[in-house]
Amino acid sequence: MSARPSLVNLEEAEARAAAALGGPTFDFVAAGAGDEVALGRNRAAFRRWCMVPRALRDVSEIDTGTTVLGQPIPFPVLVPPMGLQRIVHPKGECEMARGVAAAGTIMCVSTVSTRSPAEIAATGVERWFQLYLFEDRAITDDLVAQARDAGYGALVLTVDGAVIGRRDRAIRSGFAFGPDIRIPSVGPALGLPEGGDPIALGGMLARSTTWEAVGRLAEAGLPLVVKGILDAEDARLAVEHGAAAVIVSNHGGRQLDAAPATLDVLPAVVEAVDGRAEVLLDGGVRRGTDVLTALALGARAVLVGRPVYWGLAYGGAAGVREVLDVLRAEIVEAMTLLGRRSLAEIGPEMLIKEAR
Amino acid sequence: MSARPSLVNLEEAEARAAAALGGPTFDFVAAGAGDEVALGRNRAAFRRWCMVPRALRDVSEIDTGTTVLGQPIPFPVLVPPMGLQRIVHPKGECEMARGVAAAGTIMCVSTVSTRSPAEIAATGVERWFQLYLFEDRAITDDLVAQARDAGYGALVLTVDGAVIGRRDRAIRSGFAFGPDIRIPSVGPALGLPEGGDPIALGGMLARSTTWEAVGRLAEAGLPLVVKGILDAEDARLAVEHGAAAVIVSNHGGRQLDAAPATLDVLPAVVEAVDGRAEVLLDGGVRRGTDVLTALALGARAVLVGRPVYWGLAYGGAAGVREVLDVLRAEIVEAMTLLGRRSLAEIGPEMLIKEAR
Amino acid sequence: MSARPSLVNLEEAEARAAAALGGPTFDFVAAGAGDEVALGRNRAAFRRWCMVPRALRDVSEIDTGTTVLGQPIPFPVLVPPMGLQRIVHPKGECEMARGVAAAGTIMCVSTVSTRSPAEIAATGVERWFQLYLFEDRAITDDLVAQARDAGYGALVLTVDGAVIGRRDRAIRSGFAFGPDIRIPSVGPALGLPEGGDPIALGGMLARSTTWEAVGRLAEAGLPLVVKGILDAEDARLAVEHGAAAVIVSNHGGRQLDAAPATLDVLPAVVEAVDGRAEVLLDGGVRRGTDVLTALALGARAVLVGRPVYWGLAYGGAAGVREVLDVLRAEIVEAMTLLGRRSLAEIGPEMLIKEAR
Amino acid sequence: MSARPSLVNLEEAEARAAAALGGPTFDFVAAGAGDEVALGRNRAAFRRWCMVPRALRDVSEIDTGTTVLGQPIPFPVLVPPMGLQRIVHPKGECEMARGVAAAGTIMCVSTVSTRSPAEIAATGVERWFQLYLFEDRAITDDLVAQARDAGYGALVLTVDGAVIGRRDRAIRSGFAFGPDIRIPSVGPALGLPEGGDPIALGGMLARSTTWEAVGRLAEAGLPLVVKGILDAEDARLAVEHGAAAVIVSNHGGRQLDAAPATLDVLPAVVEAVDGRAEVLLDGGVRRGTDVLTALALGARAVLVGRPVYWGLAYGGAAGVREVLDVLRAEIVEAMTLLGRRSLAEIGPEMLIKEAR
């Protein structure tokens, strides 16, 4: 790579991506639903918490490591499923995978990837496979088989995608897919035309499927993660239907614009799950201190999406790794300043609400 | 219509109307009273609520239908009384009526319409007739007769118009009525000069009439809707004097600038009415999620004014329909994402206050 | 007057004055202390209240009249003491007096007037006389004698002026007094040089005087008003030392920048005074609805300063009257829309806090 | 000094420094950590408090004097440790010392000073010596010896500097140290290269040292002040390990960006210390009223950093003195307006929370 100065923070990754991409592509990725209220809420929720440092503790060694579903990761950040990565990089999800692997964490591979599950697996990245419930159950079963065959470590079922939310900013910007965008995982099976709009896939998602389908998926032989939970009762249902983890998510503010901030509903979900499954969170995480705030409120780890996508856009695998490395370094710095040596020492007692 | 791209959201309708109209006309419609505090409050009230989606419910069929005063409507949105529509379209209220009819809902026809109640009725739109109490009771009686003769389905009595509020923005903008603005319903009876300022009508409204007059109107043979209620005790009085419905309204922020947001007082009105009448609401509804928020807090339906007026201004009947169709589509999308199949499933349990 | 369009609201008076005056003079009048926090608080406090209209009450006649200290006034607004009025109009306080008289209310004449108490009295305006306690008690006694001789109806003792607050904006703007600024009431007695800085007077105010001095002043034969009260215990002390009224004031945000908004402390003062004296308020009143909000929280009347000063600056006596007439018309409109016929019907039951 | 107009307030000192310094140097000093949330919180916390003046108390004499650690100071403001002062003035800390001495208060001299402890002491300023715990204990012991030999009155141990926080604004601005920046106190002992980046020192700080080390330092023969406390339990530990005072500080928002505002945690620290030590505060103090707010909440005195640094940058010792004199004058004015003659009269009863 050139002599570009190193990345200062994740916000800068967005600025670099904006410069590297055309406006419509940038807007397609950046946009939230509607008036982008949920998008703003996700960020604002983190600002309402303060963390109180403890002084003069031994912080000569900081350990940011944890496990998710029993799998060790060097810091509590995963990469969530994000589709269509060839719109920002010619090698798409394979390039992303190399960056995530370099950073040492887990990549959730989207069904709507432009590279096949097997191609992505071949990079060697630690990987989970995200899928939807399709109206045609054979499609879902085939996706599970692909994931199992390609050595994915878990299934991530997205449950907030009964329809694809309208993202006004992206519509106005006029983004259009290029002819080279294909979805190998399900495109042929669904009969999606080559070079057609992959969003057409949205029309084939199951809208009548209910929790029973989750139960079946949980028995498919891979740990099941349910992504898109905002309601405590839904978290309970997920656990009761076999989920090993839930991801508190409002889809990065891209689905229901009236949705609450994920951090605001996290405590209720944690309480409902009551230790029977792991609770992850995404939405608005941009700083190492954000990661720790989510953990202090009960998340086991978080997922960071758009910043990593921006890394792919401006710098390929190196950009992805740089974004994740900056975030990891911020976690180390914050733990040092907080006087916490390990994530086991991160808890609610270090938080106070911002005074108003 | 030309190849104009389809409307993205209701806010865009305002931008299109601003481009189509001269500044003074736009300001005359857009303005709120005074410092436009009430105008801003109406919008802000919706932002303070979040809606929590439920996952994996059967949303293969979404039914947005309801009834108001026993009359079925395909989605819970009506068009409120708005006067003087020829200032934005040469065919005025008749053009509006064709758009509302195409969208399938009910139009409240203002006494201060520039087309006669009978002309508007002839379009076939489902219609209610709005009126004021005039100092001269014969005028009011004549309006009731016109509404009955022209097949209007209900009377909508405006009770927040003892005087017409000063709208500073409109005054500064210097809007003046053209010579072709007439008010067929009452103009001749009131002796308003042709081409004169129709606002002169404001001086002929009753300021000494009280609830007894409402009782008389309720016996005129048409269901009575009382519009402009903000106080719970007034809601009770309306019901006790025979109202079949009340509309919680601060006149779109155009009357008392210190008035509360309509959404904020809705629960108290719903509680006071206690099921004895239907409760509608207007003021600040711009998104499908706003509609559902009002319903979750107890409204049976809402009225959406200015955006529809903007539709008339930029696109005539087609614009009116487009605005209403976009809003309806947003309701469908929001219900799908919320996991609610029918309006019967919309209730307060899906709301949480935005964290602060 | 010329064909200038009539004044839309009080904010516009400020814009007109800004255009008529040089920047330094405008800033000298407009500035608050320090960072102008108190200035902003005064305004913001009114925005936190909503007023709930009642419908269908008889508002055919609106009576805005009241009394202060037994003296009838046509609407509950007085003009507070404001010094040095020749900086914005060559005839200074005499011109102001003619405008206030035309509007029919009471003018508080400042000790720091550029016209003598007797000259101002000769205009026939209803008048109260404002004074400070000077280190030299004979000066104070002489002011009382001047007020009594010139038929002033009350004494207004300012108690928040132990020093003159620094107004950073005015200092930066570099305002300087012209050579024609004199203070006839006390200038000669204090030995202030002609053409000198009248602010020098600040150094001659009593800083060691306490409530006993108020007791003596209360026995001077004129009703005593104590201006500059923010603390409930001080209000009690004022009453116990003979005050017939107190004015809740932070000097228009021009003294202690950390002071609370006057409206926010009004209820505590009203409770402490407990009907034994009248409670007035100034600070941030710019709308008819503001006047009614203060009355609903227990004020008998309010004082409106800068807007009237701006009226003097842009239009002389006619400007002063226009400002007061606009405010009075706003009170009438608000009462009509609220369904309140007289000030006796203005009470706390019509207020609700703005939702947040 | 030239005919520069006198300083209006501390904010203006920042503007003058910005004009005098290059952008990178200004940013290096001004920047907070990360998104500068903590920096903003410190300021905002003061705005949430109002002070209620009492009228007609004898304020003919105002005494702003107090003591810290038994040492009298003319007003309750000290200058905190700030390193590397030669980056804004060729004479560095010696010039600062002359300004502080002229203002009559105490200067905390940083270990990271560009002039030696002895040189600074030679100016005669009242002085405390700030130090870190170094990994190499002999370095710490040597610093204590230097401080004792040069007549410093207290040791100030910084406990929030286990690592040096990243200040994104400064990184982006590209500040680089000139070749003349040396750290006489520890540079030679640590083997820091002449003209190297003094931030390298950060890597030599102790990260494994705990409260026992504080106990040892407390027995070094000088009163011990522990700086960087935000947690009540840490305040208790500091006292139990011999601290004579604690400074509530988040390092001017330059370390953990998620840290709370110092004013917001002050009351809990004061309660925990319970009179067994003095409690000082820094962070966001820019006005005389801020100083009094902190004292009303239990601080004995405050430290004011950046504004004094700006004074050094724009005006050398005279600038330093001017900044401190302006602040002192503001304290006098505020006490006069509040009706408080001495700091003993400053207490929580004069505070009310800003209404919202």
Side-chain angles (χ1 to χ4, degrees):
Chain A
M1 206 179 303
S2 75
R4 184 196 298 118
S6 56
L7 189 73
V8 174
N9 54 41
L10 271 58
E11 187 187 41
E12 193 187 349
E14 179 170 331
R16 289 187 182 184
L21 300 172
T25 303
F26 177 82
D27 284 341
F28 177 77
V29 179
D35 296 316
E36 305 194 336
V37 173
L39 194 65
R41 276 181 180 150
N42 279 349
R43 280 300 298 138
F46 287 99
R47 292 274 168 104
R48 284 194 291 271
W49 290 100
C50 302
M51 291 197 274
V52 187
R54 295 301 304 268
L56 291 175
R57 293 174 162 205
D58 180 349
V59 288
S60 49
E61 300 292 333
I62 298 292
D63 178 3
T64 61
T66 189
T67 63
V68 281
L69 302 181
Q71 195 172 340
I73 45 174
F75 60 113
V77 176
L78 293 80
V79 173
M82 295 182 288
L84 302 168
Q85 298 183 10
R86 288 189 67 186
I87 65 176
V88 303
H89 192 282
K91 297 185 182 161
E93 289 77 6
C94 290
E95 184 76 8
M96 172 73 81
R98 278 183 282 270
V100 177
T105 190
I106 296 168
M107 173 175 174
C108 299
V109 171
S110 169
T111 283
V112 197
S113 289
T114 52
R115 307 295 298 270
S116 75
E119 284 176 303
I120 301 166
T123 64
V125 71
E126 291 295 323
R127 55 200 175 273
W128 295 356
F129 191 75
Q130 176 272 340
L131 74 173
Y132 301 97
L133 295 170
F134 283 86
E135 206 55 72
D136 177 350
R137 193 164 141 187
I139 302 276
T140 310
D141 290 347
D142 179 61
L143 283 172
V144 172
Q146 290 184 56
R148 203 189 293 113
D149 294 349
Y152 283 74
L155 297 176
V156 179
L157 176 68
T158 297
V159 297
D160 61 3
V163 289
I164 295 178
R166 279 172 65 88
R167 290 128 201 188
D168 298 10
R169 190 193 336 177
I171 295 168
R172 287 180 158 164
S173 227
F175 174 75
F177 289 99
D180 56 335
I181 300 298
R182 284 179 301 275
I183 307 181
S185 67
V186 293
L190 290 172
L192 292 185
E194 292 274 320
D197 183 342
I199 299 293
L201 176 149
M204 298 160 189
L205 300 179
R207 298 194 193 173
S208 61
T209 321
T210 53
W211 287 100
E212 280 62 45
V214 176
R216 284 195 303 275
L217 211 56
E219 292 162 7
L222 284 173
L224 180 65
V225 181
V226 176
K227 174 171 181 287
I229 294 294
L230 293 170
D231 182 276
E233 180 59 23
D234 276 352
R236 232 174 261 122
L237 287 167
V239 172
E240 288 166 15
H241 287 84
V246 297
I247 302 179
V248 177
S249 173
N250 58 22
H251 215 111
R254 288 165 77 84
Q255 291 286 75
L256 181 74
D257 197 28
T262 52
L263 191 73
D264 289 334
V265 298
L266 173 63
V269 169
V270 169
E271 189 187 350
V273 166
D274 196 20
R276 294 173 294 162
E278 295 182 350
V279 180
L280 310 182
L281 171 141
D282 73 10
V285 177
R286 296 294 178 270
R287 287 285 186 181
T289 47
D290 297 340
V291 176
L292 297 178
T293 300
L295 267 60
L297 289 172
R300 181 154 193 95
V302 301
L303 302 98
V304 176
R306 287 187 188 83
V308 177
Y309 215 104
W310 303 139
L312 179 63
Y314 81 73
V320 168
R321 181 184 180 162
E322 186 174 34
V323 166
L324 290 165
D325 283 352
V326 164
L327 190 58
R328 182 180 182 173
E330 287 186 357
I331 296 170
V332 171
E333 181 191 304
M335 289 176 69
T336 308
L337 292 173
L338 284 162
R340 265 76 178 184
R341 280 164 299 192
S342 75
L343 299 185
E345 297 179 16
I346 302 297
E349 70 286 349
M350 76 188 207
L351 293 181
I352 57 175
K353 272 286 183 86
E354 185 178 55
R356 297 184 66 88
Chain B
M1 205 179 305
S2 77
R4 186 196 297 120
S6 56
L7 189 73
V8 175
N9 54 40
L10 272 57
E11 187 187 42
E12 192 188 349
E14 179 171 331
R16 289 187 183 184
L21 300 172
T25 303
F26 177 81
D27 285 340
F28 177 77
V29 179
D35 296 316
E36 304 194 338
V37 173
L39 195 65
R41 276 181 180 151
N42 279 349
R43 280 299 299 137
F46 288 100
R47 293 273 168 104
R48 283 194 292 270
W49 289 100
C50 303
M51 291 197 274
V52 187
R54 294 303 302 269
L56 291 175
R57 293 174 162 205
D58 180 349
V59 288
S60 50
E61 300 292 332
I62 298 293
D63 179 3
T64 61
T66 191
T67 64
V68 282
L69 301 182
Q71 198 171 339
I73 46 175
F75 61 112
V77 176
L78 293 80
V79 174
M82 295 182 287
L84 304 168
Q85 299 183 9
R86 289 190 67 186
I87 66 175
V88 302
H89 192 282
K91 296 186 182 159
E93 289 77 7
C94 289
E95 185 76 7
M96 171 73 80
R98 279 183 282 270
V100 177
T105 192
I106 296 168
M107 172 176 174
C108 299
V109 171
S110 169
T111 284
V112 196
S113 289
T114 52
R115 306 296 297 268
S116 75
E119 285 177 303
I120 301 166
T123 64
V125 71
E126 291 294 325
R127 56 199 175 274
W128 293 356
F129 191 77
Q130 176 273 338
L131 73 173
Y132 300 97
L133 295 170
F134 284 87
E135 204 56 71
D136 176 351
R137 192 164 142 189
I139 303 276
T140 310
D141 290 346
D142 179 61
L143 283 172
V144 172
Q146 289 183 58
R148 202 190 291 115
D149 293 350
Y152 282 75
L155 296 177
V156 179
L157 177 67
T158 298
V159 297
D160 62 3
V163 290
I164 296 178
R166 279 173 66 90
R167 289 128 202 188
D168 298 8
R169 189 192 340 175
I171 295 169
R172 285 178 159 166
S173 229
F175 174 75
F177 289 98
D180 57 335
I181 300 299
R182 285 180 300 277
I183 305 180
S185 67
V186 293
L190 289 172
L192 293 183
E194 292 275 320
D197 183 343
I199 299 293
L201 177 149
M204 297 161 190
L205 300 178
R207 298 195 192 171
S208 61
T209 322
T210 53
W211 287 99
E212 280 64 43
V214 176
R216 283 196 303 275
L217 211 56
E219 292 163 8
L222 284 172
L224 180 65
V225 181
V226 175
K227 175 172 182 284
I229 295 294
L230 292 170
D231 182 276
E233 181 59 22
D234 276 352
R236 232 174 261 122
L237 286 168
V239 172
E240 288 166 14
H241 288 85
V246 298
I247 303 178
V248 176
S249 173
N250 59 22
H251 216 111
R254 288 166 78 83
Q255 291 285 76
L256 182 74
D257 197 28
T262 53
L263 191 73
D264 288 335
V265 298
L266 174 63
V269 169
V270 169
E271 189 188 351
V273 166
D274 195 21
R276 294 173 293 162
E278 295 183 350
V279 179
L280 311 180
L281 171 141
D282 73 10
V285 177
R286 296 293 178 270
R287 288 283 186 183
T289 47
D290 298 339
V291 176
L292 297 177
T293 300
L295 267 60
L297 290 172
R300 182 153 193 96
V302 302
L303 302 98
V304 176
R306 286 188 189 83
V308 177
Y309 216 105
W310 303 138
L312 179 63
Y314 81 74
V320 168
R321 181 183 178 162
E322 186 175 35
V323 166
L324 289 166
D325 283 353
V326 164
L327 191 58
R328 184 180 179 173
E330 287 186 356
I331 296 169
V332 171
E333 181 192 304
M335 290 176 69
T336 307
L337 292 172
L338 284 162
R340 265 75 178 185
R341 282 165 298 191
S342 74
L343 300 186
E345 296 179 19
I346 302 298
E349 69 286 350
M350 74 188 208
L351 294 181
I352 57 175
K353 272 286 182 86
E354 183 177 58
R356 297 184 64 88
Chain C
M1 210 179 301
S2 77
R4 185 197 295 119
S6 56
L7 189 72
V8 174
N9 54 41
L10 271 57
E11 187 187 41
E12 193 187 349
E14 179 170 331
R16 289 187 182 184
L21 300 172
T25 302
F26 177 81
D27 284 341
F28 177 77
V29 179
D35 296 315
E36 304 193 339
V37 174
L39 195 64
R41 277 181 180 152
N42 279 350
R43 279 300 297 139
F46 287 100
R47 292 274 167 103
R48 284 193 292 270
W49 290 100
C50 302
M51 291 197 274
V52 187
R54 295 301 304 268
L56 291 174
R57 293 174 162 205
D58 181 350
V59 288
S60 50
E61 301 291 333
I62 299 293
D63 178 5
T64 61
T66 189
T67 63
V68 282
L69 302 182
Q71 196 171 340
I73 46 174
F75 62 112
V77 176
L78 292 80
V79 173
M82 295 182 287
L84 302 168
Q85 298 183 11
R86 288 188 68 185
I87 66 176
V88 301
H89 193 283
K91 295 187 183 160
E93 289 77 7
C94 290
E95 185 75 7
M96 172 71 82
R98 278 182 284 269
V100 177
T105 191
I106 296 168
M107 172 175 173
C108 301
V109 171
S110 168
T111 283
V112 195
S113 289
T114 52
R115 307 295 298 268
S116 75
E119 283 177 302
I120 301 166
T123 65
V125 71
E126 291 294 323
R127 57 201 174 271
W128 294 355
F129 191 76
Q130 176 273 341
L131 73 174
Y132 301 96
L133 295 169
F134 284 86
E135 206 55 72
D136 176 350
R137 191 165 145 189
I139 302 276
T140 309
D141 291 346
D142 178 61
L143 283 172
V144 173
Q146 288 182 59
R148 202 189 294 111
D149 294 350
Y152 283 75
L155 296 176
V156 179
L157 177 67
T158 298
V159 298
D160 62 3
V163 289
I164 295 178
R166 277 172 68 89
R167 289 127 201 188
D168 297 8
R169 189 192 340 175
I171 296 169
R172 285 177 160 167
S173 228
F175 175 75
F177 289 98
D180 58 335
I181 300 298
R182 284 181 300 276
I183 305 179
S185 67
V186 293
L190 290 172
L192 293 183
E194 291 275 321
D197 183 343
I199 300 293
L201 175 150
M204 298 160 188
L205 300 178
R207 297 193 191 173
S208 61
T209 321
T210 54
W211 287 99
E212 281 62 46
V214 176
R216 284 196 303 275
L217 210 56
E219 292 164 7
L222 285 172
L224 180 65
V225 181
V226 175
K227 175 172 181 287
I229 294 294
L230 292 171
D231 181 277
E233 181 59 22
D234 277 351
R236 231 174 263 120
L237 287 168
V239 172
E240 287 167 16
H241 288 85
V246 298
I247 302 178
V248 176
S249 173
N250 59 22
H251 216 110
R254 290 166 76 84
Q255 292 285 77
L256 181 74
D257 198 28
T262 51
L263 193 72
D264 289 334
V265 298
L266 173 64
V269 168
V270 168
E271 190 187 349
V273 166
D274 196 20
R276 294 174 292 163
E278 296 182 350
V279 179
L280 311 181
L281 171 143
D282 72 12
V285 177
R286 297 293 179 270
R287 288 283 186 183
T289 47
D290 297 339
V291 176
L292 296 178
T293 300
L295 267 59
L297 289 172
R300 183 157 192 93
V302 301
L303 302 98
V304 176
R306 286 187 189 83
V308 177
Y309 214 105
W310 303 139
L312 178 65
Y314 80 75
V320 169
R321 181 183 179 162
E322 188 174 33
V323 166
L324 290 165
D325 283 354
V326 164
L327 190 58
R328 183 181 180 172
E330 287 187 356
I331 297 169
V332 171
E333 182 192 304
M335 289 176 69
T336 307
L337 292 172
L338 285 162
R340 265 74 178 185
R341 281 165 298 192
S342 74
L343 299 185
E345 297 179 17
I346 302 298
E349 69 285 349
M350 74 188 207
L351 294 181
I352 56 175
K353 272 285 182 89
E354 185 177 56
R356 299 185 64 88
Chain D
M1 207 181 303
S2 76
R4 185 196 295 119
S6 56
L7 188 73
V8 174
N9 54 41
L10 270 57
E11 187 187 40
E12 193 187 349
E14 178 170 333
R16 289 187 183 184
L21 300 172
T25 302
F26 178 82
D27 284 341
F28 177 78
V29 179
D35 297 315
E36 305 195 338
V37 174
L39 194 64
R41 276 181 180 150
N42 279 349
R43 280 300 298 139
F46 287 100
R47 292 273 168 105
R48 283 194 293 271
W49 290 99
C50 303
M51 292 197 274
V52 187
R54 295 300 305 269
L56 291 174
R57 293 175 162 204
D58 181 349
V59 288
S60 49
E61 301 291 333
I62 298 292
D63 178 4
T64 61
T66 189
T67 63
V68 282
L69 302 183
Q71 196 171 341
I73 46 174
F75 62 112
V77 176
L78 294 79
V79 173
M82 295 182 288
L84 303 168
Q85 299 184 10
R86 287 188 68 185
I87 67 176
V88 301
H89 193 283
K91 296 185 183 162
E93 289 77 7
C94 290
E95 184 75 8
M96 172 73 81
R98 279 183 281 269
V100 177
T105 190
I106 297 168
M107 173 177 176
C108 300
V109 171
S110 169
T111 283
V112 195
S113 289
T114 51
R115 306 295 298 270
S116 74
E119 283 176 304
I120 301 166
T123 65
V125 70
E126 290 295 323
R127 58 201 174 270
W128 294 357
F129 191 75
Q130 176 273 340
L131 74 173
Y132 300 97
L133 295 169
F134 284 86
E135 206 55 72
D136 177 350
R137 192 165 144 189
I139 302 277
T140 310
D141 290 346
D142 179 61
L143 282 172
V144 172
Q146 289 183 57
R148 202 189 293 113
D149 294 350
Y152 283 74
L155 297 176
V156 179
L157 176 68
T158 298
V159 297
D160 62 3
V163 289
I164 295 178
R166 278 172 66 88
R167 290 127 202 188
D168 297 10
R169 190 192 339 175
I171 296 168
R172 285 178 158 165
S173 227
F175 175 76
F177 289 97
D180 56 335
I181 300 299
R182 285 180 300 274
I183 305 180
S185 68
V186 292
L190 289 171
L192 291 185
E194 292 274 320
D197 182 343
I199 298 293
L201 174 149
M204 298 162 188
L205 300 179
R207 297 194 192 172
S208 60
T209 320
T210 53
W211 287 101
E212 280 63 44
V214 176
R216 284 196 303 276
L217 210 56
E219 292 163 7
L222 285 172
L224 180 65
V225 181
V226 176
K227 175 170 180 288
I229 294 294
L230 293 170
D231 182 276
E233 181 59 22
D234 276 351
R236 231 174 262 120
L237 287 167
V239 172
E240 289 166 16
H241 287 84
V246 298
I247 302 178
V248 176
S249 173
N250 58 21
H251 216 110
R254 289 166 77 85
Q255 291 287 76
L256 181 73
D257 198 28
T262 51
L263 192 72
D264 289 335
V265 298
L266 172 64
V269 169
V270 168
E271 191 187 348
V273 166
D274 196 20
R276 294 173 293 163
E278 295 183 351
V279 179
L280 310 182
L281 172 142
D282 72 11
V285 177
R286 295 296 178 269
R287 287 285 186 182
T289 47
D290 298 339
V291 176
L292 297 177
T293 300
L295 267 60
L297 289 172
R300 182 156 193 93
V302 301
L303 302 97
V304 176
R306 287 187 189 82
V308 176
Y309 215 104
W310 303 138
L312 179 65
Y314 81 74
V320 169
R321 181 184 180 162
E322 187 174 35
V323 166
L324 290 166
D325 283 354
V326 163
L327 190 59
R328 182 180 183 174
E330 287 187 358
I331 296 170
V332 171
E333 181 192 303
M335 290 176 69
T336 307
L337 292 172
L338 285 161
R340 266 74 177 185
R341 281 164 299 191
S342 74
L343 299 186
E345 297 180 17
I346 302 298
E349 69 286 349
M350 75 189 207
L351 293 182
I352 58 176
K353 272 284 182 89
E354 184 177 57
R356 298 185 65 88

